[in-house]
């Protein structure tokens, strides 16, 4: 993994106007080399700065989501296996809102494609999936590009505290529903 990233840095740096395109393709093909999203977004901040690195990472992450959509739709047996894995990790939850999905994308322990799979299952069509995928790619692209270097050098305790904070934020942003028991809602007559 390190050799791939180290080898790609000079190639992208010396490619001139093709550099953004190569960087976006690196996002799309990063899963083949088992490179985490954080590393690629960090690289974008290093090569292009915060603004352009974030823009190129958003484009790359959205492209990855679109490619994943077509691969999963082309191989329905994979969709079934991945759905079982998603249910194991996320459980049979109620509908997550966009803010929760964005927070899940920020969590380094939640796989990128697990969230994409959730979006495939909960959106009504490809266009809605692309819209939600685009919005969900903004926070990790921005955070990892701008703060990735700082986050990656944090001590383990601070990193775990960050993940706990995101988990608490995920919980509090969720829909709050009130459930009533039958006998609380309807008064029963006592005879």
């Amino acid at each position: 993994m390190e050799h791939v990233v180290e080898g790609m840095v000079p190639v992208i740096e010396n490619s001139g106007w093709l550099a953004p395109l190569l960087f976006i393709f690196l996002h799309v093909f990063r899963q083949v080399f088992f490179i985490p999203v954080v590393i690629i977004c960090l690289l974008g901040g290093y090569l292009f700065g915060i603004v352009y690195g974030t823009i190129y990472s958003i484009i790359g992450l959205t492209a990855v989501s679109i490619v994943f959509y077509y691969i999963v739709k082309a191989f329905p047996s994979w969709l079934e296996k991945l759905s079982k894995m998603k249910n194991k990790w996320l459980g049979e939850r109620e509908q997550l809102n966009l803010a929760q999905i964005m927070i899940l994308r920020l969590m380094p322990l939640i796989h990128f494609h697990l969230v994409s799979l959730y979006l495939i299952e909960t959106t009504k069509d490809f266009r809605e999936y692309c819209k939600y995928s685009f919005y969900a790619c903004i926070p990790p692209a921005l955070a990892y590009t701008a703060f990735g270097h700082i986050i990656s050098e944090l001590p383990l305790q601070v990193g775990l505290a960050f993940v706990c904070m995101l988990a608490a934020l995920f919980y509090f942003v969720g829909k709050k529903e009130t459930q009533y028991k039958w006998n609380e809602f309807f008064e029963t007559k006592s005879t």
Side-chain angles (χ1 to χ4, degrees):
M1 174 181 77
E2 289 177 28
H3 302 295
V4 173
V5 175
E6 289 173 3
M8 285 301 295
V9 171
V11 170
I12 292 174
E13 284 179 329
N14 297 323
S15 61
W17 63 272
L18 286 175
L21 190 61
L22 290 175
F23 178 72
I24 291 169
F25 281 128
L26 182 60
H27 261 294
V28 173
F29 293 108
R30 74 173 167 72
Q31 43 274 0
V32 174
F33 302 112
F34 301 105
I35 302 171
V37 173
V38 177
I39 302 292
I40 303 300
C41 291
L42 249 173
L43 183 63
Y46 170 75
L47 292 173
F48 304 107
I50 294 172
V51 174
Y52 289 112
T54 300
I55 292 169
Y56 300 147
S57 287
I58 291 170
I59 294 168
L61 292 173
T62 304
V64 167
S65 297
I66 292 170
V67 168
F68 180 74
Y69 181 90
Y70 282 115
I71 288 174
V72 167
K73 292 296 183 175
F75 299 101
S77 62
W78 287 9
L79 179 62
E80 185 178 320
K81 289 177 186 178
L82 291 172
S83 290
K84 289 178 185 176
M85 186 185 322
K86 179 199 65 81
N87 290 338
K88 182 178 177 183
W89 278 87
L90 297 177
E92 295 288 335
R93 300 190 56 101
E94 71 277 351
Q95 185 90 5
L96 301 176
N97 61 34
L98 183 59
Q100 288 177 306
I101 292 168
M102 290 174 153
I103 293 167
L104 278 177
R105 279 273 163 93
L106 273 172
M107 295 177 123
L109 302 175
I110 303 294
H111 196 279
F112 186 85
H113 293 309
L114 214 54
V115 177
S116 294
L117 182 64
Y118 176 81
L119 288 173
I120 288 172
E121 292 177 345
T122 57
T123 53
K124 62 182 177 195
D125 58 12
F126 177 70
R127 183 179 177 157
E128 185 179 39
Y129 169 79
C130 287
K131 181 177 80 171
Y132 282 112
S133 291
F134 172 77
Y135 291 142
C137 289
I138 293 171
L142 180 61
Y144 295 148
T145 302
F147 305 110
H149 184 68
I150 296 168
I151 291 171
S152 67
E153 291 189 359
L154 290 176
L156 179 62
Q157 297 85 358
V158 177
L160 289 174
F162 179 69
V163 169
C164 289
M165 182 188 73
L166 285 176
L169 186 62
F170 174 80
Y171 175 75
F172 289 119
V173 170
K175 287 192 284 187
K176 300 294 183 198
E177 296 179 10
T178 306
Q179 295 182 357
Y180 295 100
K181 293 182 180 176
W182 181 265
N183 59 354
E184 290 175 354
F185 191 72
F186 294 106
E187 291 184 32
T188 56
K189 294 182 182 181
S190 54
T191 56

